[in-house]
Amino acid sequence: MLLLVTTQIAQNGFFRRRKADKGKLPPLIKGISLGEHPAAMVVLQGRHIGVNLKYLRPYRQRGDVLICDRSVDKRLGLNQSVIDEYARRLCVNLALHHIKTNGHATDLVLIDHQGECVGVAAELLKVCNTVWVATRRPEWFDPCAAYTRERYGNQPLMVETALPLTDLVIAPYGLQNWQYRGGLLFGPNGGIFPKNEQLYLPDYAHLPDFDPAAVTAGVFAAFHPKELMTALPDMSE
């Protein structure tokens, strides 16, 4: 579930405010919509954020996506990791756009040590001749290989020692100690990679006191909607 976390001073009297300031009032929760996507606003009550953070623990343990307003995120620092994941998706989108714009017969390397980009490998094999994968988790790509062999007559090839020379290198999580040998690089290590201010932001992401990049990234993490799975950042600067 997608939860947006904010704060307010407890209403209805001195004793209620004092109770909230001691962390003895549970948060207010109300349903909201972000475009077509359901979410909930979790309102921590009281002037002292620290004593009320305990109320967020069950949601974090459950695996909900938490996006905090600017004041709460100064304390928790949760937003940036979600934004970074969204930026990685848009980095892949840029690479796919480049491939489709410049022709089908591309050879490339996908660097993905932890096996986070198995689905990306399948997307790339749909539009590329050869996809090399540099990973510590080659077994995680076996289902992808079976699927792409049947669907496209092709499968990812595993890098064993050094990166081959290819047209493109896609490294959403960075080069991860691989020696870059050339080709157009899409990734954060000096390659083409969107900054926070360049991310695609839909209209519904602009909420008072919230970073719209974080709200958009929260929707991406919770729902992976097509509009964000295929969006392109504004790289015109």
Side-chain angles (χ1 to χ4, degrees):
M1 187 172 183
L2 175 58
L3 304 176
L4 304 183
V5 182
T6 188
T7 62
Q8 73 174 23
I9 297 175
Q11 306 298 311
N12 301 326
F14 168 78
F15 290 104
R16 187 173 177 83
R17 287 195 296 273
R18 188 169 69 173
K19 192 174 182 181
D21 289 344
K22 291 181 178 180
K24 295 181 178 180
L25 278 186
L28 303 173
I29 302 176
K30 55 184 178 181
I32 62 170
S33 294
L34 298 172
E36 299 178 352
H37 312 294
M41 188 74 73
V42 178
V43 184
L44 301 176
Q45 301 188 75
R47 290 168 290 188
H48 308 302
I49 294 176
V51 297
N52 286 287
L53 294 180
K54 61 187 178 184
Y55 292 114
L56 301 180
R57 193 175 302 122
Y59 303 121
R60 298 180 71 178
Q61 291 173 343
R62 194 172 68 180
D64 291 323
V65 178
L66 270 62
I67 298 299
C68 304
D69 73 12
R70 290 182 174 90
S71 63
V72 177
D73 197 55
K74 285 181 181 178
R75 180 68 180 263
L76 292 182
L78 296 178
N79 289 354
Q80 191 58 51
S81 62
V82 185
I83 294 172
D84 290 345
E85 195 65 23
Y86 177 51
R88 293 182 186 107
R89 178 64 240 184
L90 265 61
C91 173
V92 171
N93 291 352
L94 277 172
L96 284 166
H97 177 73
H98 174 84
I99 293 166
K100 293 172 183 177
T101 301
N102 291 277
H104 183 91
T106 301
D107 297 340
L108 62 83
V109 171
L110 173 64
I111 298 177
D112 175 28
H113 267 200
Q114 300 304 320
E116 302 281 353
C117 300
V118 173
V120 171
E123 290 181 72
L124 293 170
L125 281 160
K126 184 178 180 180
V127 295
C128 297
N129 281 351
T130 306
V131 174
W132 293 90
V133 177
T135 182
R136 293 175 180 166
R137 307 276 187 173
E139 69 281 2
W140 288 25
F141 288 82
D142 290 343
C144 172
Y147 171 79
T148 57
R149 268 199 313 270
E150 181 177 345
R151 190 73 183 270
Y152 310 124
N154 205 351
Q155 69 181 59
L157 306 175
M158 297 296 120
V159 175
E160 295 183 359
T161 53
L163 297 182
L165 277 172
T166 57
D167 301 320
L168 270 71
V169 176
I170 303 177
Y173 291 88
L175 292 174
Q176 301 178 324
N177 297 321
W178 288 93
Q179 186 175 357
Y180 173 62
R181 298 186 62 198
L184 186 59
L185 174 61
F186 289 86
N189 299 116
I192 301 170
F193 195 83
K195 301 175 183 177
N196 283 16
E197 60 271 18
Q198 296 171 320
L199 301 178
Y200 168 76
L201 306 176
D203 292 339
Y204 60 69
H206 296 270
L207 301 176
D209 302 322
F210 282 86
D211 179 357
V215 176
T216 306
V219 171
F220 169 75
F223 303 106
H224 291 85
K226 184 178 180 180
E227 62 177 319
L228 302 184
M229 289 290 289
T230 59
L232 293 174
D234 181 6
M235 305 292 285
S236 58
E237 296 182 3

